[in-house]
Amino acid sequence: MKKNLLGAIVIFFVTVAFLLMIDDISKSKNSQHVQNIDMYNVDQQPDLATTDTEE
């Protein structure tokens, strides 16, 4: 009896974890991730400094 109850509890929690994982995956596919991308013209310089070191 105790093994059956323990098995049922394990199956319940594994099922809940599986359903939550599927829900999380489906939400991440449906959401649109907005990313800020700065576009510069050829003659413009961004506010970043790049350094090249030659050895």
Side-chain angles (χ1 to χ4, degrees):
M1 178 72 183
K2 191 172 185 178
K3 285 185 178 181
N4 291 340
L5 184 61
L6 184 63
I9 291 172
V10 169
I11 290 173
F12 174 75
F13 282 113
V14 168
T15 304
V16 168
F18 184 71
L19 291 175
L20 287 173
M21 183 181 66
I22 290 176
D23 184 51
D24 188 45
I25 291 171
S26 66
K27 283 183 181 178
S28 68
K29 285 184 179 179
N30 291 337
S31 66
Q32 297 290 328
H33 296 289
V34 177
Q35 295 178 350
N36 294 330
I37 300 173
D38 295 329
M39 299 295 290
Y40 296 100
N41 290 330
V42 175
D43 57 345
Q44 286 182 330
Q45 294 272 337
D47 294 334
L48 298 173
T50 57
T51 58
D52 292 332
T53 57
E54 294 182 13
E55 294 180 21

